[in-house]
Amino acid sequence: MTYNKNETSGTLLPMTVTEGVTVNVLPNAQHEYLMTTKEVANGYGTTKYAIQQALYRNGSELIETKHYVTAWTICQRELLNSLNLPHNTVF
């Protein structure tokens, strides 16, 4: 995976995960970077629904703030508005 760590927080950055697969990440001081469910699905070559169902089915094994976070727990409202993301986005 490659990305530029010098970019400022609050802007989506393209990250190449494998040859021909690039996803957008959001730099974050606490977690290094965050990805929306849609971007995770793109990286795995599946659908957003499949990722959401995996979280639902494996909820007891996935730890919030380690494996996923919701936008309202980590982001400022201005940042969400500038990125056009709802307050309940899962990263």
Side-chain angles (χ1 to χ4, degrees):
M1 292 186 277
T2 60
Y3 67 101
N4 187 351
K5 276 188 153 183
N6 296 326
E7 296 290 337
T8 59
S9 182
T11 57
L12 292 174
L13 302 175
M15 176 188 281
T16 303
V17 289
T18 61
E19 187 175 330
V21 178
T22 301
V23 295
N24 291 312
V25 299
L26 179 64
N28 179 274
Q30 183 179 0
H31 301 285
E32 189 173 348
Y33 66 88
L34 302 170
M35 297 172 61
T36 63
T37 304
K38 179 181 175 183
E39 293 298 328
V40 172
N42 289 340
Y44 279 108
T46 188
T47 64
K48 180 179 171 182
Y49 179 75
I51 300 299
Q52 291 169 332
Q53 288 302 301
L55 177 60
Y56 175 74
R57 282 191 313 270
N58 302 304
S60 63
E61 298 175 23
L62 300 175
I63 302 166
E64 188 171 3
T65 71
K66 180 178 181 181
H67 298 111
Y68 70 95
V69 292
T70 53
W72 62 271
T73 62
I74 57 157
C75 294
Q76 298 174 346
R77 182 175 300 191
E78 297 81 23
L79 175 61
L80 294 176
N81 289 339
S82 68
L83 296 173
N84 199 24
L85 295 172
H87 71 282
N88 60 348
T89 299
V90 176
F91 291 100

